Each structure stands twice: as structure tokens, then as C-alpha cells.
Amino acid sequence: GAGVSQSPSNKVTEKGKDVELRCDPISGHTALYWYRQSLGQGLEFLIYFQGNSAPDKSGLPSDRFSAERTGGSVSTLTIQRTQQEDSAVYLCASSYLGGTPGEQFFGPGTRLTVL
Amino acid sequence: AQKVTQAQTEISVVEKEDVTLDCVYETRDTTYYLFWYKQPPSGELVFLIRRNSFDEQNEISGRYSWNFQKSTSSFNFTITASQVVDSAVYFCALREGSGAGSYQLTFGKGTKLSVIP
């Protein structure tokens, strides 16, 4: 009965390095979302995956950000050449679109600190 | 474009007081969904409630109640007899539309509630 899990829980990196953040959605959930929570900006949508459809990347802030979802399950958010403004908590959520619209279950987040 | 405004950045109340968290939204869609999430100090967002645009009936769940008014585009959240465990950041969110492509949540910036014993 696991919920959404994310790893690592904390990541400290140096400016310019690449980082990968992982999300394991709830089993059976077809939709997966990434959000970013930063001070002063609240929660911002980044990207959405639904089944085998092309992902909606409209929320990604720059081309340094990318994400993939393998086998319709685990997702990885990659940030290349990290900048200090990338420091934030990255939240993953999943939902079952066959159920009630929009109810998303969130993971605990990955706190990214770029030095 | 959709927008959610939570004008109250921080609220402090003494335990057992009632408190209302305000949420005002903007959308051009006639079909939409409104949500409240709670984010305790542990950080994980917890779903509290969802309302759809066709159902303006207010809802009460224990000490929590929600007042949805389309005429003022508001979806306010009241905690009665607040407790220290209610201390958290509360987010109001909006999801537009009813089709498969309508999916992302637009969040307000949150209201930090501190309940003082």
C-alpha cells in the first residue's frame, strides 16, 4: 500500500552539475506529474505524463530540464547544468484518471540545493 | 488563463479559535474543479477536499468546512475549534475542464496557519 515515493529526499549539488530526481508513482496510476515548490513562487507545474501519450512539457522552465517515464511507471526528472535558481523542492504526484478527476497524490519531495 | 489567489500569507490563531482561509480563483472554463491541500511541517501534501463547478453545496467534515460561491469565485475553508495539529501550510488549487487533456493543478501561494497552544 505504498504511496508515491521520491528519491533522494535531499540533494546538494554544485552549480553546473547535472542532477537526476526519481519518482515512483502509486501502482496502477496512469498519470504522473512533476511540480516545483520554491520560496515566493508557490507550487509550479512542470510536466505531465499520461499513459503512452506524448508528455505535456509546457511547464518546464528551460531546456535544461527534461523528464522521462519508463514503462509507464517510474519517472526521472533531469536538470542539466544546474543553477542556483533551481534550488527548490521537487514534488511528484500521480493519479488514476479513471477515477475522480484531478485527485493527485503527492510524494514527499526532493529538496534540491544548488551551491 | 487560470489563477488562484490566497491573499492571506500567514495567519496565527490561539487554539480553539475558528479560522477561515480565503481562496479566490479565476477561470474561463465552465467546468472546473477546486481543491484544498494541507502541507504539514513534514512536507508531504495531503489532499483535503475536491469540489466541481456544478456543485455549490457546502461541505462539512468534522471540524473542517468549505464554502464554495461561484458568484464571488471563492472557495473558502474554515477550521472550527482549531488545534495545534492544524498548523500547516494550506493550498487552494484549480483544475480546469473535464477532458483527458485537462490535468494540471494551478495552486495558490498558500496560507501558513500557526495554531498557538
Side-chain angles (χ1 to χ4, degrees), chain A residues 35 37 56 100 103-104, chain B residues 37 39 44 50 103 105 109:
Chain A
Y35 293 86
Q37 185 175 20
D56 178 352
T100 309
E103 183 169 346
Q104 298 178 17
Chain B
Y37 280 85
Q39 188 176 42
E44 196 155 339
R50 173 196 54 254
Y103 39 80
L105 294 175
K109 292 192 184 291

Side-chain angles (χ1 to χ4, degrees), chain B residues 4 23 33-37 91-95 105-108:
Chain B
V4 176
C23 173
Y33 301 85
L34 295 163
F35 302 80
W36 277 95
Y37 280 85
F91 290 94
C92 181
L94 167 71
R95 177 190 186 268
L105 294 175
T106 298
F107 285 88

